[in-house]
Amino acid sequence: MAAQGSDGTILETTRARVKPPPLFKVLLLNDDYTPMDFVVAVLQSVFAMTRERATQVMLKVHHEGMGVCGVYPRDLAESKVEQVLAFARKHQHPLQCVMEEN
Ligand code: TYC
């Protein structure tokens, strides 16, 4: 908030608080049809994971139903989801990917 001083200067009476931008988790969902090695390849190419890390995440999704691929600002999360879905569609796999506010 601002107030006017007696000499006309503007005084800041409170500090401007700017919220940090919201972050979104990108989640991969399990299904019964997408091959495991395809999921590993997607995680490596879209999320820049090593083969070892991608295998861990894929197995977590396979056993637990979903898993976090990464946490990003909105635009980047939307782009990652689109890349995964486009790649899956292109290869006719039903792999699903969603984002959720953190
Ligand atoms: N459940 C799949 C299978 O047995 C593998 C899989 C893992 C699919 C992770 C999707 O997000 C996924 N072939």
Side-chain angles (χ1 to χ4, degrees):
M1 201 193 288
Q4 196 135 17
S6 53
D7 62 353
T9 54
I10 302 296
L11 307 170
E12 278 294 329
T13 54
T14 56
R15 293 247 253 136
R17 286 182 201 285
V18 179
K19 272 199 202 165
L23 293 174
F24 292 80
K25 288 193 281 242
V26 175
L27 301 165
L28 203 59
L29 309 184
N30 190 35
D31 66 70
D32 292 338
Y33 304 102
T34 305
M36 289 183 174
D37 60 351
F38 181 83
V39 178
V40 170
V42 167
L43 290 169
Q44 287 187 260
S45 85
V46 178
F47 299 95
M49 293 183 195
T50 62
R51 187 170 176 78
E52 292 67 33
R53 178 69 187 141
T55 302
Q56 284 178 350
V57 172
M58 182 279 294
L59 286 174
K60 182 182 166 67
V61 176
H62 176 70
H63 291 299
E64 298 178 18
M66 66 166 64
V68 179
C69 306
V71 179
Y72 307 97
R74 185 191 300 272
D75 287 9
L76 196 47
E78 282 172 355
S79 163
K80 301 278 184 193
V81 169
E82 265 318 305
Q83 286 175 62
V84 171
L85 297 179
F87 200 31
R89 250 191 322 266
K90 182 172 156 188
H91 294 269
Q92 298 185 302
H93 295 310
L95 183 62
Q96 289 298 307
C97 184
V98 297
M99 58 193 264
E100 180 180 279
E101 193 165 351
N102 219 9

